[in-house]
Amino acid sequence: METDNLLTVEDAAARLKISKHTLNRWRVTGEGPPFVKYGPRLVRYVVATLDDWARDRLFANTSQYGRR
């Protein structure tokens, strides 16, 4: 994994167009994208993983959402 492809929480939230507080909450509840944990307070996100996670949440209509 190249460190050039790692984003901070703030950068990852901006890429997903959500608040960093939402991303932090999702990390705690397990709802969010996979992350890299380097220490007690150092979290990073891999760009490709964020993109894949977001792509997996594409739906054509609302009836598809509950079928995951």
Side-chain angles (χ1 to χ4, degrees):
M1 168 178 14
E2 293 183 32
T3 56
D4 292 346
N5 294 327
L6 295 176
L7 299 178
T8 64
V9 174
E10 292 81 4
D11 292 339
R15 186 176 185 91
L16 295 173
K17 307 283 194 270
I18 60 172
S19 75
K20 91 174 195 178
H21 300 291
T22 297
L23 190 55
N24 288 335
R25 183 169 31 89
W26 284 353
R27 192 170 59 250
V28 171
T29 62
E31 297 174 70
F35 58 93
V36 179
K37 183 88 169 176
Y38 284 119
R41 300 185 74 171
L42 188 56
V43 174
R44 295 291 182 262
Y45 290 89
V46 179
V47 172
T49 303
L50 280 178
D51 293 343
D52 291 343
W53 182 84
R55 195 173 301 108
D56 288 344
R57 279 148 185 79
L58 288 174
F59 300 101
N61 57 59
T62 56
S63 65
Q64 290 180 333
Y65 180 74
R67 296 185 191 163
R68 291 184 50 194

